[in-house]
């Protein structure tokens, strides 16, 4: 990229880039038509990386809502400043799909009528990619419902590549399921799937499957027993287990959720009266640190049905049956960010994902 200059306006190019990098993607696309200079600047690879670096710091919540039981769901994006930021439809994908994973601006969606069909899309840039079908034999299928138990999406912003992971217990037709855990990995660079097999004996709840966390180049899932985190290293195709704090493992009467917080792996523990936030400060030594303990007294009636979805060091987004709430950790203030109007929608926490708006291309 050429050094910053002021030949085309009052500000150096670098200043213009810094300003434009803070626009939403929708406003950014509009700005491209202002002048040739802005179009050139915002199309440069340097600017795309800059915009992604800025936008990933703004963690949002994505929820799927339906106007009726028969209509296609819409995507509602909720952020800390504007509440309902945007409302999108996935009609760019000519299929009925549901969101299975979210990472750095991309979504992995599975086809509802055609099991085994997956898409990766960027809802902000309106791009999508149909993944090639895997070569799994038809006599072998995922257990228990024919779909992958775990679906993960790993998006590397610096390398501009992504991986999709499908993993689960398999059983041969007519036989009972065994501990055989089969993992299929799609690589965007080669546009091919690879497969490896291991033995596992963990189970996963719906929320555990939804809250897959990509940190340190690794994918993480909380096991159903809430005693450890299952970690997948895509560089060597190996699973391992990460210990949780003893207070979390042996705590009674509480729920545990796995999230990311400013690049760190985080666990949020919710009891009847408190929300405790843990962060894994030393990944190699597996040292967890309590960074906040929040009283839930003022939302006591919501506690049994509240689920943390997304967070940063400053705030936490949580979903209930019909609301998205935000807790600001510095001011200790709770705020209602979004309330669903239609009663036909499933509980918001059932279809809520952490989301960041980026220019990551899936093509």
């Amino acid at each position: 990229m050429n050094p910053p200059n002021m030949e085309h306006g009052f500000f150096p190019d670098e200043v213009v880039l810094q300003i434009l990098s803070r626009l939403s993607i929708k406003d950014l696309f509009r700005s491209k038509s202002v002048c040739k200079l802005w179009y050139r600047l915002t199309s440069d690879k340097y600017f795309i990386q800059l915009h992604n670096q800025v936008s990933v710091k703004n963690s949002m919540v994505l929820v799927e809502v339906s106007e009726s039981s028969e209509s296609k769901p819409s995507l509602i994006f909720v952020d800390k400043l504007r509440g309902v930021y945007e409302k999108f439809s996935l009609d760019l994908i000519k299929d009925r799909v549901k969101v299975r994973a979210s990472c750095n601006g991309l979504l992995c969606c599975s086809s509802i009528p055609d099991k085994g069909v997956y898409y990766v899309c960027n809802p902000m840039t309106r791009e999508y990619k149909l993944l090639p079908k895997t070569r799994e034999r038809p006599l072998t299928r995922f257990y228990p419902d024919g779909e992958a138990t775990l679906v993960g999406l790993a998006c590397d912003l610096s390398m501009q590549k992504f991986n999709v992971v499908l993993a689960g217990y398999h059983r041969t037709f007519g036989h009972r399921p065994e501990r055989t855990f089969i993992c299929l990995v799609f690589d965007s660079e080669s546009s091919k799937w690879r497969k490896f097999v291991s033995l596992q004996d963990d189970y996963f709840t719906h929320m555990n499957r939804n809250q897959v966390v990509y940190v340190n180049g690794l994918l993480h899932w909380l096991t159903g027993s809430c005693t450890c985190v299952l970690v997948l290293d895509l560089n060597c195709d190996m699973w391992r287990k990460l210990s949780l704090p003893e207070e979390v493992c042996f705590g009674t009467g509480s729920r545990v959720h796995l999230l990311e917080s400013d690049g760190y792996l985080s666990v949020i523990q919710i009891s009847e009266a408190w929300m405790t936030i843990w962060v894994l400060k030393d990944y190699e030594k597996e040292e967890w640190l309590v960074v906040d303990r929040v009283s839930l007294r003022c939302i006591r009636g919501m506690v049994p049905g509240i689920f943390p979805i997304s967070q940063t060091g400053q705030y936490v987004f949580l979903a209930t049956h019909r609301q998205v709430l935000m807790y600001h950790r510095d001011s200790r203030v709770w705020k209602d960010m979004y309330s669903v109007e239609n009663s036909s929608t499933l509980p918001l926490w059932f279809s809520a994902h952490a989301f960041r708006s980026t220019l990551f291309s899936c093509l």
Side-chain angles (χ1 to χ4, degrees), residues 18 40 52 122 200 240 260 302:
Q18 290 292 337
R40 176 178 61 82
N52 288 342
N122 185 327
Q200 302 288 342
R240 72 180 183 92
E260 180 261 353
M302 299 181 179

Side-chain angles (χ1 to χ4, degrees), residues 235-248:
N235 291 321
C236 56
D237 287 347
M238 290 188 63
W239 296 96
R240 72 180 183 92
K241 292 185 179 179
L242 184 68
S243 300
L244 289 175
E246 290 187 3
E247 295 88 337
V248 173

Side-chain angles (χ1 to χ4, degrees), residues 139-209:
L139 292 180
T140 304
R141 63 185 179 90
F142 283 109
Y143 175 83
D145 57 3
E147 282 196 308
T149 305
L150 304 179
V151 176
L153 180 60
C155 302
D156 189 325
L157 287 175
S158 61
M159 300 296 291
Q160 285 291 297
K161 67 176 184 178
F162 67 87
N163 295 103
V164 173
V165 173
L166 309 178
Y169 296 99
H170 275 51
R171 69 172 178 184
T172 305
F173 183 76
H175 292 73
R176 299 184 65 179
E178 300 177 352
R179 294 175 57 220
T180 304
F181 201 64
I182 296 187
C183 185
L184 306 170
V185 181
F186 176 80
D187 189 313
S188 64
E189 290 185 319
S190 65
S191 198
K192 294 180 180 179
W193 293 89
R194 64 180 187 267
K195 170 183 173 181
F196 66 98
V197 181
S198 61
L199 296 178
Q200 302 288 342
D201 53 9
D202 298 297
Y203 69 96
F204 305 88
T205 67
H206 175 82
M207 287 302 294
N208 294 157
R209 295 197 301 268

Side-chain angles (χ1 to χ4, degrees), residues 93-106:
I93 302 176
K94 306 304 180 183
D95 196 355
R96 289 177 57 236
V97 297
K98 60 181 177 181
V99 177
R100 296 296 304 269
S102 169
C103 181
N104 287 337
L106 296 189

